[in-house]
Amino acid sequence: QVQLVESGGGLVQPGGSLRLSCAASGGTFSSYGMGWFRQAPGKEREFAAAISWGGGTTLYADSVQGRYTISRDNAKNTVYLQMNSLKPEDAAVYYCAARLRVGPSRNEDDYVYWGQGTQVSVSS
């Protein structure tokens, strides 16, 4: 069983930055494609970013392209999401997820393990 624990959320002003972390345990992290998804109040969960097992391939939602950067450190069993130029519409609960394949995916149905989420609020 894989456990995923997100951290790094909080309140930030528009234009600010946050870095989310997701620590994995209980599995073979380096063989998993990893993703970040988000869910705003009253909305469905949506894809934000994903990364392949070695970090060589990344995917981004159009809404975050150029502002967010996903990365991973397999030695630390951790995936990161650097979020810059944050907007009020970026406010959501952010979830990390792991899939049992090495490649990234935009589809949440491809992910097997999920964290509990971390809240990101963007407000002045």
Side-chain angles (χ1 to χ4, degrees):
Q1 187 75 6
V2 175
Q3 289 82 43
L4 302 173
V5 179
E6 302 96 335
S7 61
L11 173 64
V12 64
Q13 292 185 344
S17 298
L18 280 175
R19 188 176 83 153
L20 305 183
S21 299
C22 172
S25 61
T28 309
F29 178 77
S30 61
S31 65
Y32 302 149
M34 299 295 295
W36 285 97
F37 292 78
R38 65 185 186 181
Q39 186 169 22
K43 295 186 177 181
E44 294 186 351
R45 188 160 58 188
E46 65 176 9
F47 169 76
I51 190 167
S52 61
W53 69 279
T57 302
T58 56
L59 302 175
Y60 296 95
D62 290 344
S63 58
V64 308
Q65 180 77 50
R67 299 187 298 121
Y68 288 14
T69 302
I70 188 171
S71 62
R72 65 190 296 161
D73 185 340
N74 287 343
K76 296 182 178 179
N77 288 354
T78 302
V79 62
Y80 305 97
L81 187 66
Q82 177 67 44
M83 306 184 296
N84 298 329
S85 302
L86 283 162
K87 306 174 182 179
E89 53 263 41
D90 294 320
V93 177
Y94 282 71
Y95 300 90
C96 76
R99 63 188 304 247
L100 299 180
R101 292 191 180 272
V102 297
S105 173
R106 300 175 184 272
N107 186 348
E108 67 174 82
D109 292 336
D110 290 339
Y111 292 84
V112 176
Y113 301 108
W114 291 83
Q116 293 299 306
T118 185
Q119 177 71 51
V120 171
S121 301
V122 184
S123 174
S124 55

